[in-house]
Amino acid sequence: MTNLQFTYPLAAEPSLSGLDFSLQKGAFLGVIGGTGAGKSTLVQLLARLYRPQKGDLQIFTDKQSPKTIREWRDLVHVVPQKAELFQGTIRSNLLLGISEEVSDEQLWRALDIAQARDFVAQKEGQLDAEVTAFGRNFSGGQRQRLTIARAIVKASPFLVLDDSTSALDYLTESKLLKAIPNELETTLIMISQRTNSLRTADKVLVLDKGRQAGFASHEALLATNDLYQAIHFSQHQKGDQDAR
Ligand SMILES: Nc1ncnc2c1ncn2[C@@H]1O[C@H](COP(=O)(O)OP(=O)(O)OP(=O)(O)O)[C@@H](O)[C@H]1O
Ligand SMILES: [Mg+2]
């Protein structure tokens, strides 16, 4: 994207301005920033709920270039912060919004990548195990993983995780964030509050009050970016063995 600017209807100030970066196809982009920094706004632009007034998100190759909003939304799949499960079975939840035939093998592969195989395998009925309304018979972290598995089944070229791993422990999250780039060709955009979650990202976009305050790897930002350091060290003890 080049010099992207976006102001909400009726808002006095732009919520995003001067975003200027590019990304390789299939890359893993992390996005971090404090409250009000513009992270959810960026997600809404990616989902084409709004269009920027200046610049454009040139995220598609010419071949992919969508003609309609519907096509756009088929190419970009956003996993919301709050997991969305529905009354039915694991299978019906994974297949939500999908019309093609999907084999059980493909469903298990998606569960594998989403680090959800073990707890599904332990449920009576497995893929046909019951999901109660809002997925209340699953833990918060399990619900998030099932919602991510659904996105993997859909196999969109762009997968946007809007802080959708917040209920996972660090080890499970890190396995998931390694499996997605290793196993899938999707471009992964991950909004996170935690610098730890972005260690394996190819690039991290640091947002500060709607502006681009950094764009580099975790390691590089940790060495040079004041804001990234401040966020990181508010989450880790300075000098902590594990801090890097
Ligand atoms: N629908 C809206 N209309 C007008 N202004 C909005 C709207 N949504 C967000 N904003 C403003 O845009 C700015 C960025 O908000 P955004 O929700 O993108 O932040 P965020 O980084 O997601 O924060 P948080 O970590 O709290 O979720 C804020 O100043 C916010 O007040
Ligand atoms: Mg937000």
Side-chain angles (χ1 to χ4, degrees):
M1 42 197 87
T2 39
N3 196 18
L4 183 102
Q5 179 166 314
F6 172 71
T7 310
Y8 281 103
L10 308 179
E13 302 270 311
S15 289
L16 286 175
S17 62
L19 296 198
D20 213 330
F21 63 88
S22 63
L23 203 62
Q24 295 283 324
K25 185 162 172 263
F28 172 8
L29 171 72
V31 180
I32 200 163
T35 182
K39 304 181 296 295
S40 296
T41 303
L42 183 59
V43 170
Q44 301 203 53
L45 295 185
L46 286 165
R48 208 51 155 189
L49 294 175
Y50 294 99
R51 294 179 79 141
Q53 287 88 1
K54 252 171 76 180
D56 203 359
L57 299 102
Q58 288 159 341
I59 56 176
F60 304 106
T61 60
D62 288 347
K63 213 173 72 194
Q64 280 176 337
S65 190
K67 310 250 167 341
T68 62
I69 290 187
R70 207 196 160 78
E71 276 175 33
W72 179 295
R73 294 193 184 144
D74 279 341
L75 293 168
V76 181
H77 187 103
V78 177
V79 179
Q81 181 160 17
K82 200 173 160 297
E84 289 174 341
L85 293 183
F86 304 92
Q87 188 171 13
T89 61
I90 290 184
R91 186 193 303 277
S92 70
N93 271 279
L94 292 181
L95 292 176
L96 193 82
I98 293 179
S99 46
E100 304 91 76
E101 283 278 307
V102 180
S103 68
D104 281 11
E105 202 183 322
Q106 284 170 288
L107 295 180
W108 283 112
R109 178 167 179 257
L111 290 167
D112 251 336
I113 296 170
Q115 309 301 310
R117 175 187 279 270
D118 289 356
F119 72 84
V120 173
Q122 280 165 20
K123 285 261 169 190
E124 198 184 317
Q126 302 198 334
L127 289 173
D128 296 305
E130 187 189 12
V131 176
T132 60
F134 306 107
R136 286 212 184 92
N137 58 331
F138 290 87
S139 75
Q142 290 173 339
R143 285 200 287 269
Q144 285 188 330
R145 280 174 282 170
L146 289 174
T147 312
I148 292 170
R150 174 196 292 147
I152 293 170
V153 172
K154 214 167 161 228
S156 307
F158 287 83
L159 178 57
V160 183
L161 303 183
D162 188 1
D163 213 357
S164 14
T165 56
S166 56
L168 302 188
D169 60 82
Y170 176 53
L171 185 64
T172 307
E173 181 190 52
S174 90
K175 283 187 191 161
L176 189 153
L177 292 175
K178 282 187 188 128
I180 292 177
N182 284 346
E183 304 285 331
L184 305 172
E185 283 174 20
T186 181
T187 301
L188 173 63
I189 299 176
M190 157 107 176
I191 315 292
S192 181
Q193 308 283 348
R194 305 186 292 194
T195 57
N196 241 343
S197 310
L198 305 178
R199 280 163 191 266
T200 54
D202 298 300
K203 288 284 164 59
V204 178
L205 171 67
V206 186
L207 290 177
D208 184 24
K209 301 187 193 82
R211 298 190 160 270
Q212 179 168 329
F215 181 72
S217 70
H218 168 83
E219 291 293 330
L221 289 170
L222 214 45
T224 58
N225 189 283
D226 291 347
L227 179 58
Y228 197 75
Q229 287 169 352
I231 298 171
H232 184 78
F233 288 111
S234 71
Q235 297 167 351
H236 300 86
Q237 295 277 332
K238 244 190 176 136
D240 187 342
Q241 275 299 319
D242 195 38
R244 277 163 199 264

